Amino acid sequence: GLKISGSDSLAPPLYYTYGAPCQMGIIALPRGEPTSALFDLFHVDYDSLLQGLWPSRLLHTSINFASNNDTGLCIINSEVVLRDTLVPGFIVSTRQGNGRDFWLVVQKFESNKYFIILNSIEGITIREQVIGSPKLSYLEAGAAAFSPDGTVYARFDHWNGLELLEFDRCSGSFMSVISLPTSLFADTNQFWYNQNHNDPTGLVFSPNSRYLYIFRTNQLYQL
């Protein structure tokens, strides 16, 4: 396919030729109404090979797919929204209470600090919230998800277990926390010869937000 005009050098990969070594490291959101041709991309970036295995920046790219004879035009290319040591990936979003704008959540590495970002037609605003337990580092990425109704944020990885946080879509604030240990979600495929390594995991809510499914390599759990 054709490269969108203005998208050259969009978050160039430094570790591998196929991109950054993380799951859920980019998300695309329509700005304004759902039928809008203007989309915002938020993506983590590894800007130094010496910094370790965590991203150090959250970038923002804006693309208008109706411009340039409907071939697309990159209006903003990789502007820096946030600088910090970030969890590899885990970018998730939910609609703001007004039904138009979006909240994004990104977590600080080895911490219990969350960056809660509002992306609206007026611009981008960032707030921070410390809640839950500080997280341990790990070699394999876990996963995060919002329930479809936007009221629950869930994150899971092998070392830190499952954490469920109640979310207020109007204020963009986390409230109560429920934590469940990894021992409740055993993985029979864990690499027994390397206790620091475990296969990636996945999370997904049912469409009615009633059930949460946790995926391990050989297991599927329903809550």
Side-chain angles (χ1 to χ4, degrees), residues 5 57 63 101 139 148 171 210:
S5 178
R57 304 186 299 179
I63 298 174
D101 303 324
L139 291 179
S171 66
R210 180 178 181 182

Side-chain angles (χ1 to χ4, degrees), residues 66-154:
S67 295
N68 204 21
N69 294 321
D70 289 332
T71 61
L73 178 64
C74 185
I75 303 169
I76 300 173
N77 188 327
S78 302
E79 71 170 352
V80 178
V81 174
L82 174 65
R83 288 185 183 274
D84 210 316
T85 51
L86 304 174
V87 167
F90 277 50
I91 302 177
V92 293
S93 71
T94 189
R95 285 275 186 184
Q96 208 264 354
N98 61 19
R100 180 194 64 193
D101 303 324
F102 282 91
W103 295 108
L104 291 92
V105 172
V106 182
Q107 189 176 355
K108 181 176 172 62
F109 187 70
E110 292 189 327
S111 173
N112 56 343
K113 178 187 286 187
Y114 292 87
F115 298 100
I116 304 171
I117 302 163
L118 178 62
N119 186 46
S120 71
I121 59 175
E122 287 81 21
I124 300 171
T125 57
I126 303 174
R127 59 185 301 270
E128 301 175 4
Q129 185 173 353
V130 175
I131 189 171
S133 302
K135 306 304 182 291
L136 301 173
S137 60
Y138 44 85
L139 291 179
E140 293 291 355
F146 266 110
S147 59
D149 63 11
T151 62
V152 179
Y153 170 88

Side-chain angles (χ1 to χ4, degrees), residues 3 15 19-21 38 109 113 127 132 149 157 163 171 189:
K3 181 183 293 185
Y15 281 96
L38 188 61
F109 187 70
K113 178 187 286 187
R127 59 185 301 270
D149 63 11
D157 69 75
E163 194 168 73
S171 66
N189 194 62

Side-chain angles (χ1 to χ4, degrees), residues 11 20 22-26 42-46 55-59 86-91 106:
C22 69
Q23 300 180 129
M24 303 172 67
I26 186 170
F42 291 88
H43 38 116
V44 293
D45 181 42
Y46 297 73
S56 60
R57 304 186 299 179
L58 178 68
L59 306 179
L86 304 174
V87 167
F90 277 50
I91 302 177
V106 182

